Amino acid sequence: MFQKLDLQKIKKGGLKQIKIMFSFWENKIKERRSQISSSAWSSDQANSLLDRLIEQGFSDVQINQLVGELYIAGTDTTSLTVAWAIAELLKHKEAFSMVESEVLKNEMNFDKINKELPYLHACIKETLRVHPTGPFLLPHRAQENCEVMGYTIPKDSQVFVNIWAISRDPKIWDDLYHLNLKDSLAQR
């Protein structure tokens, strides 16, 4: 009933941000289109995704839609992973304490996360395993006829890989939530 009112101005604010983003990209697209259409342009000068999309004949609307999807995919997956990591750490107090101790002892630096924050790194990887950002990987196409687990996959079939099921297969993973990562860290 009150949805149409947009009392918190979420819809209006979101639309405003989308218009700002698209107007920015529209200017960039026009600029690149004019450069590409000039006689001095050659295909080997293309150094960005935008250049290639324009060369392939994508319209401004198609480019804007793709950029919007990439933006949403890039921000949404990161925030979901962080939210799941925090939720899992809150459920596993010992793991939370170990991450907290590691973070407080070290300077946060992306380049050093593998070496100086191995437990945090392992927790992030475990979060991505247990809570993948998409249950299926991007679709693939079978390049030839093949057989997988007794099923025939015809050539040119579209194939989806169920990463969610693979990452939770009890034949592979003995402990679904393996946030006690001391053993795996010791093997490094």
Side-chain angles (χ1 to χ4, degrees), residues 3 10 20 38 81 173:
Q3 291 173 339
I10 294 171
I20 290 169
S38 75
T81 301
W173 306 99

Side-chain angles (χ1 to χ4, degrees), residues 67-169:
V67 168
E69 288 176 13
L70 290 172
Y71 177 78
I72 290 168
T75 55
D76 204 30
T77 54
T78 303
S79 61
L80 280 172
T81 301
V82 170
W84 275 118
I86 291 169
E88 289 296 340
L89 287 169
L90 289 173
K91 287 188 336 187
H92 298 87
K93 301 293 184 198
E94 183 182 337
F96 182 90
S97 296
M98 290 177 71
V99 168
E100 181 182 37
S101 171
E102 194 174 74
V103 168
L104 291 175
K105 287 181 198 171
N106 295 288
E107 178 184 329
M108 290 298 288
N109 184 328
F110 184 76
D111 296 331
K112 297 178 181 178
I113 194 168
N114 289 341
K115 295 176 186 163
E116 295 181 19
L117 302 166
Y119 194 80
L120 174 62
H121 186 242
C123 285
I124 292 167
K125 288 173 77 172
E126 182 67 358
T127 299
L128 288 167
R129 179 185 71 84
V130 177
H131 302 287
T133 54
F136 297 102
L137 295 178
L138 293 174
H140 291 72
R141 186 159 312 277
Q143 294 181 342
E144 57 187 45
N145 292 335
C146 62
E147 190 170 310
V148 177
M149 298 175 69
Y151 293 96
T152 301
I153 311 291
K155 181 181 178 181
D156 293 328
S157 295
Q158 191 169 24
V159 180
F160 290 90
V161 177
N162 187 344
I163 194 70
W164 190 90
I166 292 169
S167 64
R168 292 170 178 264
D169 186 347

